[in-house]
Each structure stands twice: as structure tokens, then as C-alpha cells.
Amino acid sequence: MKNIQIPKDSRLCQKDFIFGVATASFQIEGSADSRLPCIWDTFCATPGKIRDGSDGLLACDHVNLWRDDVKLIQSLGVDAYRLSISWPRVMFADGSLNPAGVDFYIQLLDELKALNIKAFVTLYHWDLPQHLEDKGGWLNRETAYLFADYADKISQALGDRVYSYATLNEPFCSSYLGYEAGIHAPGKQQKAWGRQAAHHLLLAHGLALKVLKKNSPNSLNGLVLNFTPCYAQTEDPADVAAAQLADDYFNQWYIKPVLDGAYPKSFALLSDSDKPVIHDGDFAIISEPLDFLGVNFYTRTVYQACAENGFAPVDMVDAPKTDIGWEIYPQAFTDLLLSLHQQYRLPPVYITENGAAMDDKLQNGVVVDEDRLGYYQAHLLALDSAIRQGVRVDGYFAWSLMDNFEWAEGYLKRFGIVYVDYQSQQRTIKQSGLAYRDFIQSRKSC
Ligand code: GCO
């Protein structure tokens, strides 16, 4: 297979459907010396936390190579580029803006604007300034207010350069993986901490969203959540209940407070010591109406009942998987969008991330990643199917523009549609990237 093929009558073939590529600051920028340290610098420096012992000091050297990277984005013919701003690059510890850091993003955004590429900016993609973590990080309620202050100052500085703002990327990862499972920075591990961090992140989102709407009323202002739909292993009611419980805990926990102003019912199952501290009025702040919801989708998880935890994930041994071990199950993408549509009054949805890690090889100057191409083909069709069944989706972003620092996996997992040789920093568009470009191009002429 060399092409992405979508029926011509699909919403995905209409010119106003936005196609883009996505990245995140810590994963590509490098040059830690020109910003304050963040929790990921500390985590990387802690032995045993990153699988290949690497860090984000150079990454894709994007702070130096950004002009070439913008040309690369332009060459893909995309409508939009989703990037994140590094809080520790644009703010000093005293809370004032760092002009050099702000100027980096202003130049980047101006260049994108000149090329007619819409900027989708995320304000927090996990790189919390370390000095805030030293005061408790997301366990400290004050961090939510400091985030809103950062949103206020940076959105004023960036003026009208931004097409869309997302407050947070995947609060599930920042709270659960960072403070409960301990496999992401800052590596804390306690159930109560995960729940409290989640609550403060949601609060931070609501406070910042209000600020963004005031400072940047013409941009689309919203939130990016990740979803891993939960399936029961069998129809046995115990397994079905287990999958529902897991769904509440990993997925609904982050969307329901935002759209319905309440945690899922299973909140009541938390022991008192695991329940987060919630102040009167928090849900009114958290449920500030969104202009859009960003949905990140990669895979599903299958669950069975388990006496100890209520639910336990099942390894789908024979199922097709990506190089990071995630099952390839495109039907879950359609199912997810339909179930969100049935359950909530959704604002317009953008698929802010979708993609696959594959074991790519650069050979004779080319990367033949048919497996990734197949993933994109199947998932775009799954998206098309959800749209045909009534879900409003206005855009889609491939994760990722280029290979980059994949968090606890370091540089071992490649998600890019562009290959990065980390020694030479040379970029090579993979076959999937060429197919993505050609599809976007063909759509423009249909
Ligand atoms: C996420 C993040 C990305 C990851 C990607 C692959 O969704 O976890 O937004 O930063 O790199 O998802 O894991």
C-alpha cells in the first residue's frame, strides 16, 4: 500500500476539514540551557526512569532548527500545526515573562502565519517548572492559579497569532502517570496523590480557559483529553462491570467534570483518604464551556474482573500491536466517538493526536513504513465512519510530525511521519508522511 484512500464523499475530503501534524515542547525542542528546569529534566536525571537513559537536552534540536522544521511542515501541505509552549521557557521563577523565550514562539508563530498554517497551541504538555514541583507541583492548589496567571500573560504576549488554544494536554497522564502510577515525572506514587493532582489540573484548566476566552476571544479555546476505551473480555456481568469501572477511572474522570460538572458515580467508591479535597465552586470553574474538545486516540484496553482492584487489564496476546505494544483496534476509535456523542453534549471535536510507533529503518534514504501507513488508513476510515453516524469532528492531527523523545521510552519509540536521525539531526519524510501529504493534496482538488 502506498496511498491513503478515503471515499470522495467523506467529510474528510472537504476543504474546511483541518489536517495537521502535532508535537510537544519537551519532546522536540532541546536546549534546556535557555529555559528553567522542568520536572522532566529531573525525572530524566534520575537513574532507571527512562528506558534508554536519555533526556530532553537536545531532542530534535528544534529551538535551533525550527525554521527548517516549519519548511518541512509546509512541504507536507497541512492546514495546521499543533505545538505546545514550554512554561519554563517563557516564564521566570518570579512569574514574569522571559522575553527571549516568548520571542522564540512569536517568531515561530509569525512564520506559520506567513505560510497560512493555523497554529494550535497547547499551554501545558507536561513540562511543569521544577521550582513549582518543589512546592508540591499539582498537589498544591496554588499551582492551578499560577497556571492561569501563565495563561494570562502568554496569551496577551502572543496576541492574535494563535488559531486555537488548548489549556492542558491529557491531564490523565499528568495526574495518573505522574502522581499515582509514578511512571512519568515527577514519579510520585500514591492513589490519593493521583486523584488530587487530577482535581487541581482540572481546576487549572477551568481557570485558564476563562482567561483565554477573555484575552483571545477569536481563537478556539478548549482542552485535549486522551481516551483509551475499555472493553470487557467476556459478556460475563463481572467483566462488563470491571470494564465500566476502568472506563470511569481512566476516561470519564477527566471529561465528566468538564462537560457535566461532576465526577463519575464511582467517585463514591474511593476511600475517604483517597478522595481529593474539593472546594465549593470548583465544578462551576471546571465546567466552563469549551469551544472545542481535543480527542487523542491510540488504542483500547480489554479488562476482566479482579477481586483486588475491581478490574485488571488483559494482554491481547494474538492481537496486532504497534512497536510500543499497543493493540491496533480501529473500531475502538469509531466506538469511542459515538459513545462520547451519545453520553455528552459535545462541542466540536478535533482529533488532536492519532498515530503509531513502529520499528522504522532508514535504508538508502527512505523509510518504508507500510505498517504505520496502514494504521493511518484504518483510523481515518474509522473516523469517517463516526462522522457519518453523526459525530461532529472538524479536524485531525497526526502524532507526530517527527520522531521525538517518547517520555519514559526515551528515543526508543518512533511515532513520526518524518524520521529523525538523532546523530545528524537529519529529517527524512517516511512513506506514511508522503502518503499523508498526497492525501491532503488530493483532497484540495476534489
Ligand atoms: C500522549 C502525548 C504524546 C505522546 C504520544 C505517544 O498522548 O501521550 O500527548 O506526547 O508522545 O501520545 O505516546
Side-chain angles (χ1 to χ4, degrees):
M1 198 206 322
K2 290 222 162 25
N3 299 317
I4 291 173
Q5 280 161 7
I6 307 293
K8 290 275 177 230
D9 67 341
S10 167
R11 171 81 179 97
L12 303 185
C13 291
Q14 290 170 0
K15 280 183 197 158
D16 65 333
F17 189 91
I18 290 176
F19 274 98
V21 284
T23 63
S25 45
F26 191 85
Q27 295 182 272
I28 65 165
E29 286 180 356
S31 194
D33 55 348
S34 56
R35 58 160 173 77
L36 297 181
C38 75
I39 53 175
W40 275 92
D41 295 309
T42 312
F43 198 63
C44 291
T46 312
K49 298 296 184 194
I50 310 297
R51 258 186 69 203
D52 58 357
S54 63
D55 55 44
L57 299 185
L58 183 61
C60 302
D61 200 17
H62 176 71
V63 283
N64 292 309
L65 301 176
W66 67 270
R67 284 177 197 280
D68 293 336
D69 289 336
V70 171
K71 285 194 193 117
L72 179 67
I73 295 166
Q74 184 197 19
S75 80
L76 292 168
V78 291
D79 309 302
Y81 173 46
R82 177 173 178 242
L83 66 137
S84 80
I85 289 186
S86 161
W87 184 356
R89 189 180 297 286
V90 297
M91 266 193 148
F92 292 121
D94 68 359
S96 63
L97 286 179
N98 175 343
V102 173
D103 195 50
F104 166 68
Y105 293 107
I106 285 185
Q107 288 189 58
L108 174 62
L109 292 169
D110 280 345
E111 191 68 26
L112 291 169
K113 201 160 201 169
L115 297 173
N116 221 355
I117 299 168
K118 296 178 170 63
F120 279 66
V121 169
T122 302
L123 292 182
Y124 185 71
H125 202 125
W126 313 353
D127 36 7
L128 185 72
Q130 180 60 42
H131 64 91
L132 296 183
E133 179 58 34
D134 295 342
K135 293 186 195 134
W138 290 112
L139 298 178
N140 183 351
R141 190 175 166 95
E142 181 63 17
T143 302
Y145 290 87
L146 293 174
F147 178 72
D149 181 54
Y150 151 57
D152 184 27
K153 289 174 179 155
I154 192 69
S155 58
Q156 288 192 45
L158 299 182
D160 64 357
R161 295 174 176 85
V162 175
Y163 183 84
S164 161
Y165 278 108
T167 52
L168 310 176
N169 177 71
E170 305 189 353
F172 158 81
C173 294
S174 313
S175 58
Y176 178 78
L177 299 181
Y179 290 85
E180 188 164 334
I183 56 177
H184 274 191
K188 298 227 156 95
Q189 217 174 338
Q190 213 171 97
K191 190 167 184 168
W193 292 341
R195 299 301 105 184
Q196 189 64 66
H199 188 71
H200 289 155
L201 278 151
L202 291 168
L203 183 67
H205 154 74
L207 292 167
L209 183 59
K210 198 160 192 151
V211 167
L212 292 171
K213 285 181 170 179
K214 180 167 148 280
N215 292 356
S216 189
N218 296 325
S219 55
L220 282 176
N221 301 312
L223 168 69
V224 172
L225 298 177
N226 60 310
F227 295 89
T228 303
C230 302
Y231 290 73
Q233 186 185 25
T234 70
E235 283 167 22
D236 184 319
D239 286 343
V240 173
Q244 269 165 8
L245 213 55
D247 184 52
D248 267 11
Y249 205 67
F250 297 124
N251 299 317
Q252 309 304 328
W253 207 270
Y254 303 89
I255 184 171
K256 197 168 167 63
V258 173
L259 295 184
D260 287 352
Y263 282 113
K265 281 207 188 74
S266 57
F267 183 89
L269 302 176
L270 289 180
S271 71
D272 282 347
S273 58
D274 288 338
K275 284 195 179 116
V277 177
I278 300 173
H279 291 196
D280 284 350
D282 280 1
F283 288 113
I285 296 170
I286 292 171
S287 58
E288 176 74 27
L290 302 172
D291 295 338
F292 80 100
L293 174 69
V295 169
N296 294 353
F297 173 84
Y298 291 91
T299 187
R300 70 160 179 175
T301 308
V302 176
Y303 288 93
Q304 63 184 8
C306 136
E308 205 183 319
N309 263 339
F311 51 83
V314 178
D315 184 7
M316 304 299 282
V317 188
D318 297 323
K321 291 185 181 146
T322 65
D323 191 42
I324 203 166
W326 298 349
E327 185 184 354
I328 302 173
Y329 193 78
Q331 179 64 41
F333 195 16
T334 312
D335 294 349
L336 166 70
L337 292 167
L338 289 177
S339 78
L340 292 177
H341 178 60
Q342 278 152 15
Q343 235 174 309
Y344 298 104
R345 283 173 56 93
L346 291 179
V349 168
Y350 286 78
I351 306 307
T352 31
E353 286 179 28
N354 177 234
M358 296 295 178
D359 185 16
D360 300 314
K361 300 276 178 276
L362 177 66
Q363 273 159 345
N364 306 320
V366 293
V367 179
V368 182
D369 58 339
E370 288 195 12
D371 38 13
R372 181 177 292 102
L373 182 43
Y375 181 97
Y376 278 116
Q377 169 73 61
H379 285 77
L380 286 169
L381 287 178
L383 173 60
D384 177 54
S385 165
I387 295 173
R388 284 178 200 270
Q389 292 174 74
V391 188
R392 174 165 171 196
V393 181
D394 288 352
Y396 174 95
F397 291 79
W399 182 271
S400 177
L401 163 66
M402 57 185 162
D403 298 334
N404 56 49
F405 177 78
E406 179 53 30
W407 308 113
E409 302 287 330
Y411 296 96
L412 297 175
K413 302 298 169 198
R414 294 178 175 273
F415 272 92
I417 58 172
V418 172
Y419 186 91
V420 176
D421 176 328
Y422 294 110
Q423 250 67 56
S424 65
Q425 288 297 339
Q426 199 183 330
R427 279 81 158 129
T428 306
I429 304 179
K430 302 177 191 176
Q431 195 182 51
S432 59
L434 297 173
Y436 194 55
R437 178 196 68 186
D438 291 349
F439 165 65
I440 291 168
Q441 195 60 38
S442 72
R443 177 197 58 132
K444 282 188 174 139
S445 58
C446 57

